[in-house]
Short mmCIF file of all heavy atoms in Angstrom, two decimals:
data_model
loop_
_atom_site.label_atom_id
_atom_site.label_comp_id
_atom_site.label_asym_id
_atom_site.label_seq_id
_atom_site.Cartn_x
_atom_site.Cartn_y
_atom_site.Cartn_z
N MET A 178 0.83 -1.20 0.00
CA MET A 178 0.00 0.00 0.00
C MET A 178 0.87 1.25 0.00
O MET A 178 1.78 1.36 0.79
CB MET A 178 -0.88 0.02 1.23
CG MET A 178 -2.32 0.05 0.78
SD MET A 178 -3.43 0.96 1.72
CE MET A 178 -4.32 -0.40 2.45
N ASP A 179 0.56 2.17 -0.92
CA ASP A 179 1.35 3.39 -1.04
C ASP A 179 0.38 4.55 -1.24
O ASP A 179 -0.49 4.50 -2.10
CB ASP A 179 2.29 3.24 -2.24
CG ASP A 179 3.25 4.39 -2.34
OD1 ASP A 179 3.51 5.04 -1.31
OD2 ASP A 179 3.74 4.65 -3.44
N ASN A 180 0.48 5.57 -0.45
CA ASN A 180 -0.43 6.72 -0.55
C ASN A 180 -1.89 6.30 -0.48
O ASN A 180 -2.74 6.88 -1.15
CB ASN A 180 -0.20 7.49 -1.86
CG ASN A 180 1.17 8.14 -1.87
OD1 ASN A 180 1.67 8.54 -0.83
ND2 ASN A 180 1.79 8.22 -3.03
N GLY A 181 -2.19 5.29 0.29
CA GLY A 181 -3.57 4.86 0.47
C GLY A 181 -4.12 4.09 -0.70
O GLY A 181 -5.30 3.75 -0.72
N LYS A 182 -3.28 3.77 -1.70
CA LYS A 182 -3.78 2.99 -2.84
C LYS A 182 -3.50 1.51 -2.64
O LYS A 182 -2.45 1.14 -2.14
CB LYS A 182 -3.10 3.46 -4.13
CG LYS A 182 -3.56 4.81 -4.59
CD LYS A 182 -2.90 5.14 -5.92
CE LYS A 182 -3.11 6.61 -6.28
NZ LYS A 182 -2.02 7.11 -7.10
N LEU A 183 -4.44 0.68 -3.12
CA LEU A 183 -4.22 -0.76 -3.07
C LEU A 183 -3.25 -1.15 -4.19
O LEU A 183 -3.17 -0.48 -5.22
CB LEU A 183 -5.54 -1.49 -3.29
CG LEU A 183 -6.61 -1.22 -2.22
CD1 LEU A 183 -7.92 -1.85 -2.64
CD2 LEU A 183 -6.19 -1.75 -0.87
N ASN A 184 -2.52 -2.22 -3.98
CA ASN A 184 -1.62 -2.72 -5.02
C ASN A 184 -2.43 -3.19 -6.22
O ASN A 184 -3.56 -3.66 -6.07
CB ASN A 184 -0.78 -3.88 -4.49
CG ASN A 184 0.26 -3.42 -3.49
OD1 ASN A 184 0.81 -2.32 -3.61
ND2 ASN A 184 0.52 -4.24 -2.49
N PRO A 185 -1.88 -3.07 -7.43
CA PRO A 185 -2.61 -3.51 -8.63
C PRO A 185 -2.91 -5.01 -8.58
O PRO A 185 -2.11 -5.79 -8.05
CB PRO A 185 -1.64 -3.20 -9.78
CG PRO A 185 -0.68 -2.21 -9.23
CD PRO A 185 -0.58 -2.49 -7.75
N GLY A 186 -4.04 -5.39 -9.16
CA GLY A 186 -4.43 -6.80 -9.23
C GLY A 186 -5.89 -6.98 -8.84
O GLY A 186 -6.62 -6.00 -8.64
N GLN A 187 -6.32 -8.25 -8.75
CA GLN A 187 -7.70 -8.57 -8.36
C GLN A 187 -7.82 -8.58 -6.85
O GLN A 187 -7.05 -9.26 -6.17
CB GLN A 187 -8.09 -9.94 -8.90
CG GLN A 187 -8.34 -9.99 -10.39
CD GLN A 187 -9.58 -9.22 -10.78
OE1 GLN A 187 -9.50 -8.20 -11.45
NE2 GLN A 187 -10.74 -9.68 -10.38
N TRP A 188 -8.80 -7.86 -6.34
CA TRP A 188 -9.04 -7.78 -4.90
C TRP A 188 -10.46 -8.24 -4.59
O TRP A 188 -11.38 -8.02 -5.37
CB TRP A 188 -8.85 -6.34 -4.40
CG TRP A 188 -7.42 -5.93 -4.31
CD1 TRP A 188 -6.59 -5.63 -5.36
CD2 TRP A 188 -6.63 -5.76 -3.13
NE1 TRP A 188 -5.35 -5.30 -4.89
CE2 TRP A 188 -5.35 -5.37 -3.52
CE3 TRP A 188 -6.91 -5.92 -1.76
CZ2 TRP A 188 -4.32 -5.12 -2.61
CZ3 TRP A 188 -5.89 -5.66 -0.85
CH2 TRP A 188 -4.61 -5.27 -1.27
N LEU A 189 -10.58 -8.85 -3.43
CA LEU A 189 -11.90 -9.18 -2.89
C LEU A 189 -12.28 -8.08 -1.92
O LEU A 189 -11.46 -7.66 -1.10
CB LEU A 189 -11.85 -10.52 -2.15
CG LEU A 189 -11.47 -11.72 -2.99
CD1 LEU A 189 -11.14 -12.89 -2.09
CD2 LEU A 189 -12.57 -12.07 -3.96
N VAL A 190 -13.53 -7.60 -2.02
CA VAL A 190 -13.96 -6.51 -1.17
C VAL A 190 -15.31 -6.83 -0.53
O VAL A 190 -16.23 -7.27 -1.21
CB VAL A 190 -14.08 -5.19 -1.98
CG1 VAL A 190 -14.61 -4.06 -1.11
CG2 VAL A 190 -12.73 -4.81 -2.58
N SER A 191 -15.38 -6.62 0.76
CA SER A 191 -16.64 -6.72 1.50
C SER A 191 -16.92 -5.34 2.08
O SER A 191 -16.11 -4.81 2.84
CB SER A 191 -16.51 -7.76 2.61
OG SER A 191 -17.62 -7.67 3.47
N ASP A 192 -18.05 -4.74 1.72
CA ASP A 192 -18.38 -3.38 2.13
C ASP A 192 -19.67 -3.38 2.93
O ASP A 192 -20.76 -3.45 2.37
CB ASP A 192 -18.50 -2.50 0.87
CG ASP A 192 -18.76 -1.04 1.21
OD1 ASP A 192 -18.99 -0.72 2.39
OD2 ASP A 192 -18.74 -0.22 0.27
N CYS A 193 -19.55 -3.29 4.25
CA CYS A 193 -20.74 -3.29 5.12
C CYS A 193 -21.65 -2.10 4.82
O CYS A 193 -22.85 -2.17 5.03
CB CYS A 193 -20.33 -3.22 6.59
SG CYS A 193 -19.95 -4.81 7.32
N GLY A 194 -21.07 -0.99 4.35
CA GLY A 194 -21.84 0.22 4.10
C GLY A 194 -22.92 0.04 3.05
O GLY A 194 -23.83 0.85 2.93
N LYS A 195 -22.81 -1.05 2.24
CA LYS A 195 -23.80 -1.29 1.19
C LYS A 195 -25.04 -1.99 1.71
O LYS A 195 -26.01 -2.17 0.98
CB LYS A 195 -23.18 -2.14 0.08
CG LYS A 195 -22.12 -1.37 -0.68
CD LYS A 195 -21.78 -2.03 -1.99
CE LYS A 195 -20.91 -1.10 -2.82
NZ LYS A 195 -20.38 -1.76 -4.00
N TYR A 196 -24.99 -2.44 2.97
CA TYR A 196 -26.12 -3.18 3.53
C TYR A 196 -26.55 -2.53 4.83
O TYR A 196 -25.71 -2.07 5.60
CB TYR A 196 -25.70 -4.64 3.77
CG TYR A 196 -25.22 -5.28 2.49
CD1 TYR A 196 -23.86 -5.30 2.18
CD2 TYR A 196 -26.12 -5.77 1.56
CE1 TYR A 196 -23.41 -5.82 0.97
CE2 TYR A 196 -25.69 -6.30 0.36
CZ TYR A 196 -24.33 -6.32 0.07
OH TYR A 196 -23.91 -6.83 -1.12
N PRO A 197 -27.86 -2.49 5.04
CA PRO A 197 -28.33 -1.86 6.29
C PRO A 197 -27.92 -2.69 7.51
O PRO A 197 -27.94 -3.91 7.46
CB PRO A 197 -29.86 -1.85 6.12
CG PRO A 197 -30.17 -2.84 5.06
CD PRO A 197 -28.94 -3.02 4.22
N SER A 198 -27.51 -2.02 8.56
CA SER A 198 -27.25 -2.72 9.82
C SER A 198 -27.66 -1.81 10.97
O SER A 198 -27.71 -0.59 10.83
CB SER A 198 -25.78 -3.11 9.95
OG SER A 198 -24.96 -1.96 9.95
N GLU A 199 -27.95 -2.44 12.11
CA GLU A 199 -28.48 -1.69 13.25
C GLU A 199 -27.47 -0.66 13.77
O GLU A 199 -27.82 0.35 14.33
CB GLU A 199 -28.95 -2.63 14.36
CG GLU A 199 -27.87 -3.49 15.00
CD GLU A 199 -27.41 -4.66 14.15
OE1 GLU A 199 -28.03 -4.93 13.08
OE2 GLU A 199 -26.42 -5.29 14.52
N ASN A 200 -26.16 -0.92 13.54
CA ASN A 200 -25.15 0.02 14.03
C ASN A 200 -24.54 0.84 12.90
O ASN A 200 -23.49 1.46 13.08
CB ASN A 200 -24.07 -0.73 14.82
CG ASN A 200 -23.49 -1.88 14.03
OD1 ASN A 200 -23.81 -2.06 12.86
ND2 ASN A 200 -22.63 -2.66 14.64
N SER A 201 -25.20 0.84 11.72
CA SER A 201 -24.72 1.63 10.58
C SER A 201 -23.24 1.41 10.30
O SER A 201 -22.49 2.35 10.06
CB SER A 201 -24.98 3.13 10.80
OG SER A 201 -26.34 3.35 10.95
N CYS A 202 -22.82 0.16 10.33
CA CYS A 202 -21.42 -0.19 10.10
C CYS A 202 -21.00 0.19 8.68
O CYS A 202 -21.73 -0.05 7.73
CB CYS A 202 -21.25 -1.69 10.32
SG CYS A 202 -19.57 -2.26 10.09
N LYS A 203 -19.82 0.80 8.57
CA LYS A 203 -19.30 1.20 7.26
C LYS A 203 -17.96 0.52 6.97
O LYS A 203 -17.17 0.99 6.17
CB LYS A 203 -19.11 2.72 7.19
CG LYS A 203 -20.39 3.51 7.39
CD LYS A 203 -21.22 3.54 6.12
CE LYS A 203 -22.36 4.54 6.21
NZ LYS A 203 -23.43 4.06 7.09
N MET A 204 -17.71 -0.57 7.68
CA MET A 204 -16.45 -1.28 7.56
C MET A 204 -16.24 -1.83 6.14
O MET A 204 -17.16 -2.40 5.55
CB MET A 204 -16.47 -2.45 8.55
CG MET A 204 -15.26 -3.29 8.52
SD MET A 204 -14.04 -2.65 9.68
CE MET A 204 -13.01 -4.10 9.84
N VAL A 205 -15.04 -1.63 5.61
CA VAL A 205 -14.66 -2.23 4.33
C VAL A 205 -13.48 -3.16 4.59
O VAL A 205 -12.49 -2.76 5.20
CB VAL A 205 -14.27 -1.15 3.31
CG1 VAL A 205 -13.78 -1.80 2.02
CG2 VAL A 205 -15.44 -0.22 3.03
N ILE A 206 -13.61 -4.40 4.14
CA ILE A 206 -12.52 -5.37 4.27
C ILE A 206 -12.09 -5.75 2.85
O ILE A 206 -12.94 -6.02 2.00
CB ILE A 206 -12.98 -6.63 5.05
CG1 ILE A 206 -13.45 -6.23 6.45
CG2 ILE A 206 -11.84 -7.65 5.14
CD1 ILE A 206 -14.09 -7.37 7.24
N ALA A 207 -10.79 -5.72 2.60
CA ALA A 207 -10.28 -6.06 1.27
C ALA A 207 -9.03 -6.92 1.40
O ALA A 207 -8.27 -6.79 2.35
CB ALA A 207 -9.95 -4.78 0.50
N ALA A 208 -8.84 -7.82 0.42
CA ALA A 208 -7.64 -8.67 0.38
C ALA A 208 -7.39 -9.10 -1.05
O ALA A 208 -8.32 -9.20 -1.85
CB ALA A 208 -7.82 -9.90 1.26
N PRO A 209 -6.11 -9.34 -1.39
CA PRO A 209 -5.81 -9.89 -2.71
C PRO A 209 -6.55 -11.22 -2.89
O PRO A 209 -6.74 -11.97 -1.93
CB PRO A 209 -4.29 -10.12 -2.67
CG PRO A 209 -3.79 -9.21 -1.58
CD PRO A 209 -4.90 -9.14 -0.57
N ILE A 210 -6.95 -11.51 -4.14
CA ILE A 210 -7.80 -12.67 -4.41
C ILE A 210 -7.13 -13.99 -4.02
O ILE A 210 -7.80 -14.95 -3.67
CB ILE A 210 -8.26 -12.67 -5.88
CG1 ILE A 210 -9.48 -13.56 -6.05
CG2 ILE A 210 -7.12 -13.04 -6.83
CD1 ILE A 210 -10.28 -13.28 -7.29
N ASP A 211 -5.79 -14.02 -4.03
CA ASP A 211 -5.12 -15.28 -3.66
C ASP A 211 -5.10 -15.50 -2.15
O ASP A 211 -4.59 -16.51 -1.67
CB ASP A 211 -3.71 -15.34 -4.26
CG ASP A 211 -2.78 -14.26 -3.73
OD1 ASP A 211 -3.25 -13.39 -2.97
OD2 ASP A 211 -1.59 -14.29 -4.09
N GLN A 212 -5.67 -14.57 -1.40
CA GLN A 212 -5.77 -14.76 0.06
C GLN A 212 -7.23 -14.93 0.48
O GLN A 212 -7.63 -14.54 1.58
CB GLN A 212 -5.14 -13.58 0.79
CG GLN A 212 -3.63 -13.56 0.55
CD GLN A 212 -2.93 -12.46 1.33
OE1 GLN A 212 -3.52 -11.76 2.13
NE2 GLN A 212 -1.64 -12.33 1.08
N LYS A 213 -8.02 -15.55 -0.40
CA LYS A 213 -9.45 -15.67 -0.13
C LYS A 213 -9.79 -16.35 1.20
O LYS A 213 -10.67 -15.87 1.92
CB LYS A 213 -10.15 -16.38 -1.29
CG LYS A 213 -11.66 -16.35 -1.12
CD LYS A 213 -12.40 -16.79 -2.35
CE LYS A 213 -13.90 -16.61 -2.12
NZ LYS A 213 -14.71 -17.05 -3.24
N PRO A 214 -9.14 -17.47 1.55
CA PRO A 214 -9.51 -18.11 2.82
C PRO A 214 -9.30 -17.17 4.02
O PRO A 214 -10.15 -17.09 4.92
CB PRO A 214 -8.57 -19.32 2.91
CG PRO A 214 -8.20 -19.61 1.49
CD PRO A 214 -8.16 -18.27 0.79
N HIS A 215 -8.17 -16.45 4.01
CA HIS A 215 -7.87 -15.49 5.07
C HIS A 215 -8.90 -14.36 5.08
O HIS A 215 -9.40 -13.94 6.12
CB HIS A 215 -6.45 -14.95 4.82
CG HIS A 215 -5.93 -14.08 5.92
ND1 HIS A 215 -5.88 -14.48 7.23
CD2 HIS A 215 -5.42 -12.83 5.89
CE1 HIS A 215 -5.36 -13.51 7.96
NE2 HIS A 215 -5.09 -12.49 7.18
N PHE A 216 -9.24 -13.89 3.88
CA PHE A 216 -10.24 -12.84 3.73
C PHE A 216 -11.60 -13.28 4.28
O PHE A 216 -12.24 -12.56 5.05
CB PHE A 216 -10.34 -12.48 2.24
CG PHE A 216 -11.51 -11.60 1.88
CD1 PHE A 216 -11.44 -10.23 2.03
CD2 PHE A 216 -12.67 -12.15 1.35
CE1 PHE A 216 -12.51 -9.41 1.70
CE2 PHE A 216 -13.75 -11.34 1.02
CZ PHE A 216 -13.67 -9.97 1.18
N MET A 217 -12.03 -14.49 3.88
CA MET A 217 -13.34 -14.98 4.33
C MET A 217 -13.39 -15.09 5.85
O MET A 217 -14.39 -14.75 6.48
CB MET A 217 -13.66 -16.34 3.69
CG MET A 217 -13.98 -16.29 2.21
SD MET A 217 -15.37 -15.20 1.79
CE MET A 217 -16.75 -16.10 2.53
N ASN A 218 -12.28 -15.58 6.44
CA ASN A 218 -12.25 -15.68 7.91
C ASN A 218 -12.37 -14.31 8.56
O ASN A 218 -13.06 -14.15 9.58
CB ASN A 218 -10.95 -16.37 8.36
CG ASN A 218 -10.99 -17.86 8.09
OD1 ASN A 218 -12.05 -18.45 7.96
ND2 ASN A 218 -9.82 -18.46 8.00
N ALA A 219 -11.70 -13.30 7.98
CA ALA A 219 -11.77 -11.95 8.54
C ALA A 219 -13.19 -11.39 8.43
O ALA A 219 -13.69 -10.76 9.37
CB ALA A 219 -10.79 -11.03 7.81
N VAL A 220 -13.85 -11.65 7.30
CA VAL A 220 -15.21 -11.14 7.10
C VAL A 220 -16.18 -11.84 8.06
O VAL A 220 -17.03 -11.19 8.69
CB VAL A 220 -15.66 -11.32 5.63
CG1 VAL A 220 -17.11 -10.91 5.45
CG2 VAL A 220 -14.76 -10.50 4.69
N VAL A 221 -16.04 -13.16 8.18
CA VAL A 221 -16.92 -13.91 9.08
C VAL A 221 -16.68 -13.49 10.53
O VAL A 221 -17.62 -13.34 11.31
CB VAL A 221 -16.71 -15.43 8.89
CG1 VAL A 221 -17.39 -16.22 10.00
CG2 VAL A 221 -17.23 -15.87 7.52
N ASP A 222 -15.41 -13.27 10.87
CA ASP A 222 -15.07 -12.84 12.23
C ASP A 222 -15.71 -11.48 12.53
O ASP A 222 -16.32 -11.28 13.59
CB ASP A 222 -13.54 -12.75 12.34
CG ASP A 222 -13.10 -12.54 13.78
OD1 ASP A 222 -13.49 -13.35 14.63
OD2 ASP A 222 -12.40 -11.55 14.04
N HIS A 223 -15.62 -10.55 11.57
CA HIS A 223 -16.24 -9.24 11.75
C HIS A 223 -17.76 -9.37 11.88
O HIS A 223 -18.37 -8.75 12.75
CB HIS A 223 -15.89 -8.33 10.55
CG HIS A 223 -16.69 -7.08 10.52
ND1 HIS A 223 -16.42 -6.00 11.33
CD2 HIS A 223 -17.79 -6.73 9.80
CE1 HIS A 223 -17.32 -5.05 11.10
NE2 HIS A 223 -18.16 -5.46 10.18
N ALA A 224 -18.35 -10.19 11.01
CA ALA A 224 -19.81 -10.37 11.04
C ALA A 224 -20.26 -10.92 12.39
O ALA A 224 -21.31 -10.54 12.90
CB ALA A 224 -20.25 -11.29 9.91
N GLY A 225 -19.44 -11.82 12.95
CA GLY A 225 -19.78 -12.40 14.25
C GLY A 225 -19.65 -11.40 15.38
O GLY A 225 -20.53 -11.27 16.22
N ARG A 226 -18.51 -10.68 15.41
CA ARG A 226 -18.24 -9.77 16.52
C ARG A 226 -19.14 -8.54 16.49
O ARG A 226 -19.60 -8.07 17.53
CB ARG A 226 -16.79 -9.27 16.46
CG ARG A 226 -15.78 -10.27 16.91
CD ARG A 226 -14.38 -9.76 16.58
NE ARG A 226 -13.41 -10.85 16.66
CZ ARG A 226 -12.73 -11.15 17.75
NH1 ARG A 226 -12.91 -10.47 18.84
NH2 ARG A 226 -11.88 -12.16 17.74
N VAL A 227 -19.35 -8.00 15.29
CA VAL A 227 -20.04 -6.71 15.19
C VAL A 227 -21.52 -6.88 14.89
O VAL A 227 -22.35 -6.10 15.35
CB VAL A 227 -19.36 -5.81 14.13
CG1 VAL A 227 -20.09 -4.48 13.97
CG2 VAL A 227 -17.90 -5.56 14.52
N HIS A 228 -21.85 -7.93 14.11
CA HIS A 228 -23.24 -8.05 13.66
C HIS A 228 -23.97 -9.25 14.27
O HIS A 228 -25.12 -9.50 13.94
CB HIS A 228 -23.28 -8.14 12.13
CG HIS A 228 -22.69 -6.92 11.47
ND1 HIS A 228 -23.32 -5.70 11.46
CD2 HIS A 228 -21.50 -6.74 10.83
CE1 HIS A 228 -22.55 -4.82 10.82
NE2 HIS A 228 -21.45 -5.41 10.44
N GLY A 229 -23.27 -9.99 15.14
CA GLY A 229 -23.92 -11.09 15.84
C GLY A 229 -24.29 -12.27 14.96
O GLY A 229 -25.17 -13.07 15.31
N GLU A 230 -23.62 -12.39 13.80
CA GLU A 230 -23.91 -13.51 12.90
C GLU A 230 -23.19 -14.77 13.37
O GLU A 230 -22.11 -14.70 13.93
CB GLU A 230 -23.44 -13.18 11.47
CG GLU A 230 -24.08 -11.95 10.87
CD GLU A 230 -25.51 -12.19 10.42
OE1 GLU A 230 -26.01 -13.32 10.51
OE2 GLU A 230 -26.13 -11.20 9.97
N LYS A 231 -23.81 -15.91 13.08
CA LYS A 231 -23.17 -17.19 13.42
C LYS A 231 -22.43 -17.73 12.20
O LYS A 231 -22.91 -17.63 11.08
CB LYS A 231 -24.23 -18.20 13.87
CG LYS A 231 -24.78 -17.88 15.22
CD LYS A 231 -25.16 -19.19 15.95
CE LYS A 231 -25.56 -18.90 17.39
NZ LYS A 231 -26.87 -18.20 17.46
N ASP A 232 -21.24 -18.30 12.46
CA ASP A 232 -20.42 -18.87 11.39
C ASP A 232 -20.96 -20.25 11.02
O ASP A 232 -20.60 -21.25 11.64
CB ASP A 232 -18.96 -18.95 11.85
CG ASP A 232 -18.05 -19.49 10.76
OD1 ASP A 232 -18.54 -19.78 9.64
OD2 ASP A 232 -16.84 -19.60 11.02
N THR A 233 -21.87 -20.28 10.04
CA THR A 233 -22.42 -21.55 9.55
C THR A 233 -22.13 -21.64 8.05
O THR A 233 -21.88 -20.63 7.41
CB THR A 233 -23.95 -21.59 9.75
OG1 THR A 233 -24.54 -20.54 8.96
CG2 THR A 233 -24.33 -21.39 11.20
N PRO A 234 -22.17 -22.86 7.50
CA PRO A 234 -21.96 -23.00 6.05
C PRO A 234 -22.97 -22.17 5.26
O PRO A 234 -22.62 -21.59 4.22
CB PRO A 234 -22.17 -24.50 5.81
CG PRO A 234 -21.84 -25.14 7.11
CD PRO A 234 -22.29 -24.15 8.17
N GLU A 235 -24.20 -22.09 5.73
CA GLU A 235 -25.23 -21.31 5.04
C GLU A 235 -24.88 -19.82 5.06
O GLU A 235 -25.00 -19.12 4.04
CB GLU A 235 -26.59 -21.54 5.70
CG GLU A 235 -27.72 -20.91 4.92
CD GLU A 235 -29.04 -20.95 5.67
OE1 GLU A 235 -29.04 -21.29 6.87
OE2 GLU A 235 -30.06 -20.61 5.06
N PHE A 236 -24.44 -19.33 6.23
CA PHE A 236 -24.06 -17.92 6.32
C PHE A 236 -22.90 -17.62 5.38
O PHE A 236 -22.90 -16.62 4.68
CB PHE A 236 -23.70 -17.54 7.76
CG PHE A 236 -23.23 -16.12 7.88
CD1 PHE A 236 -24.09 -15.06 7.62
CD2 PHE A 236 -21.91 -15.84 8.21
CE1 PHE A 236 -23.64 -13.75 7.70
CE2 PHE A 236 -21.46 -14.53 8.29
CZ PHE A 236 -22.33 -13.49 8.04
N ARG A 237 -21.91 -18.52 5.34
CA ARG A 237 -20.76 -18.31 4.46
C ARG A 237 -21.17 -18.29 2.99
O ARG A 237 -20.63 -17.51 2.21
CB ARG A 237 -19.70 -19.39 4.69
CG ARG A 237 -18.88 -19.12 5.94
CD ARG A 237 -17.72 -20.08 6.10
NE ARG A 237 -16.97 -19.78 7.30
CZ ARG A 237 -15.69 -19.36 7.31
NH1 ARG A 237 -15.03 -19.23 6.18
NH2 ARG A 237 -15.08 -19.11 8.44
N SER A 238 -22.12 -19.14 2.62
CA SER A 238 -22.51 -19.15 1.21
C SER A 238 -23.31 -17.89 0.86
O SER A 238 -23.16 -17.35 -0.23
CB SER A 238 -23.24 -20.44 0.85
OG SER A 238 -24.62 -20.32 1.09
N ASN A 239 -24.12 -17.39 1.80
CA ASN A 239 -24.81 -16.11 1.56
C ASN A 239 -23.81 -14.96 1.48
O ASN A 239 -23.96 -14.05 0.66
CB ASN A 239 -25.82 -15.83 2.66
CG ASN A 239 -27.04 -16.71 2.54
OD1 ASN A 239 -27.39 -17.17 1.46
ND2 ASN A 239 -27.70 -16.96 3.66
N LEU A 240 -22.81 -15.03 2.34
CA LEU A 240 -21.78 -14.00 2.38
C LEU A 240 -21.02 -13.92 1.06
O LEU A 240 -20.73 -12.84 0.55
CB LEU A 240 -20.82 -14.33 3.52
CG LEU A 240 -19.93 -13.23 4.05
CD1 LEU A 240 -20.76 -12.08 4.61
CD2 LEU A 240 -19.01 -13.79 5.12
N GLU A 241 -20.73 -15.09 0.50
CA GLU A 241 -19.99 -15.15 -0.78
C GLU A 241 -20.68 -14.31 -1.85
O GLU A 241 -20.01 -13.70 -2.68
CB GLU A 241 -19.91 -16.60 -1.28
CG GLU A 241 -19.02 -17.47 -0.43
CD GLU A 241 -17.78 -17.94 -1.19
OE1 GLU A 241 -17.49 -17.38 -2.27
OE2 GLU A 241 -17.11 -18.84 -0.68
N LYS A 242 -22.02 -14.29 -1.82
CA LYS A 242 -22.77 -13.57 -2.85
C LYS A 242 -22.63 -12.06 -2.71
O LYS A 242 -22.90 -11.31 -3.64
CB LYS A 242 -24.26 -13.94 -2.78
CG LYS A 242 -24.52 -15.39 -3.11
CD LYS A 242 -25.98 -15.75 -2.89
CE LYS A 242 -26.15 -17.26 -2.88
NZ LYS A 242 -27.15 -17.71 -1.91
N THR A 243 -22.24 -11.58 -1.52
CA THR A 243 -22.13 -10.14 -1.30
C THR A 243 -20.71 -9.63 -1.58
O THR A 243 -20.49 -8.43 -1.57
CB THR A 243 -22.51 -9.75 0.15
OG1 THR A 243 -21.47 -10.19 1.04
CG2 THR A 243 -23.84 -10.36 0.55
N ILE A 244 -19.79 -10.56 -1.82
CA ILE A 244 -18.40 -10.15 -2.00
C ILE A 244 -18.13 -9.74 -3.43
O ILE A 244 -18.54 -10.42 -4.37
CB ILE A 244 -17.47 -11.29 -1.52
CG1 ILE A 244 -17.57 -11.32 -0.01
CG2 ILE A 244 -16.03 -11.08 -1.99
CD1 ILE A 244 -17.08 -12.52 0.64
N GLU A 245 -17.46 -8.61 -3.58
CA GLU A 245 -17.16 -8.08 -4.90
C GLU A 245 -15.71 -8.38 -5.27
O GLU A 245 -14.84 -8.39 -4.41
CB GLU A 245 -17.36 -6.57 -4.92
CG GLU A 245 -18.78 -6.15 -4.72
CD GLU A 245 -18.84 -4.65 -4.49
OE1 GLU A 245 -18.45 -3.92 -5.41
OE2 GLU A 245 -19.25 -4.24 -3.40
N GLU A 246 -15.50 -8.59 -6.56
CA GLU A 246 -14.13 -8.66 -7.08
C GLU A 246 -13.84 -7.35 -7.78
O GLU A 246 -14.58 -6.93 -8.66
CB GLU A 246 -13.98 -9.82 -8.05
CG GLU A 246 -13.93 -11.16 -7.34
CD GLU A 246 -13.61 -12.30 -8.29
OE1 GLU A 246 -13.01 -12.06 -9.36
OE2 GLU A 246 -13.98 -13.43 -7.95
N VAL A 247 -12.76 -6.71 -7.35
CA VAL A 247 -12.40 -5.41 -7.88
C VAL A 247 -11.03 -5.51 -8.55
O VAL A 247 -10.10 -6.07 -7.97
CB VAL A 247 -12.37 -4.35 -6.76
CG1 VAL A 247 -11.91 -3.01 -7.29
CG2 VAL A 247 -13.74 -4.24 -6.09
N ASN A 248 -10.95 -4.99 -9.78
CA ASN A 248 -9.66 -4.98 -10.48
C ASN A 248 -8.98 -3.64 -10.25
O ASN A 248 -9.43 -2.63 -10.76
CB ASN A 248 -9.88 -5.25 -11.98
CG ASN A 248 -8.56 -5.41 -12.72
OD1 ASN A 248 -7.54 -5.71 -12.11
ND2 ASN A 248 -8.60 -5.23 -14.01
N VAL A 249 -7.94 -3.65 -9.44
CA VAL A 249 -7.21 -2.42 -9.15
C VAL A 249 -6.10 -2.26 -10.18
O VAL A 249 -5.30 -3.18 -10.41
CB VAL A 249 -6.61 -2.47 -7.72
CG1 VAL A 249 -5.77 -1.23 -7.45
CG2 VAL A 249 -7.72 -2.60 -6.68
N GLN A 250 -6.08 -1.10 -10.83
CA GLN A 250 -5.07 -0.84 -11.88
C GLN A 250 -3.80 -0.28 -11.27
O GLN A 250 -3.88 0.55 -10.40
CB GLN A 250 -5.61 0.17 -12.90
CG GLN A 250 -6.97 -0.19 -13.45
CD GLN A 250 -6.89 -1.17 -14.60
OE1 GLN A 250 -5.84 -1.28 -15.24
NE2 GLN A 250 -7.97 -1.89 -14.84
ZN1 LIG B 203 -19.88 -4.48 9.56
#
């Protein structure tokens, strides 16, 4: 990271600000696409701690649908 810019390449992004939540969470989590398992654990951990979600296979599969792939130039 340099000057607040992400390194070029494919990134996975989870943006809480795009979904309504009781605490108006605006957290953004991002990771290079080759670190998907680590990224998913971070997103699930955040969802559990901040949003009270349970880490179940169903929750993870719903979560996958909300994750964006961003091509950083
Ligand atoms: Zn959140």
Side-chain angles (χ1 to χ4, degrees):
M178 239 216 252
D179 187 24
N180 294 328
K182 288 184 192 152
L183 298 172
N184 289 326
Q187 286 292 113
W188 285 74
L189 298 167
V190 177
S191 169
D192 184 352
C193 275
K195 292 196 170 171
Y196 303 94
S198 61
E199 64 284 352
N200 53 6
S201 300
C202 180
K203 299 281 191 287
M204 178 90 162
V205 176
I206 301 172
I210 199 160
D211 63 355
Q212 293 184 5
K213 187 169 185 182
H215 187 54
F216 169 83
M217 288 303 292
N218 285 338
V220 175
V221 168
D222 189 55
H223 169 78
R226 284 170 196 269
V227 178
H228 300 288
E230 300 285 357
K231 288 212 173 71
D232 182 0
T233 63
E235 188 189 10
F236 176 66
R237 281 187 180 244
S238 88
N239 286 334
L240 199 60
E241 290 246 14
K242 295 175 195 143
T243 72
I244 288 164
E245 295 169 63
E246 285 187 24
V247 177
N248 187 21
V249 176
Q250 308 277 338

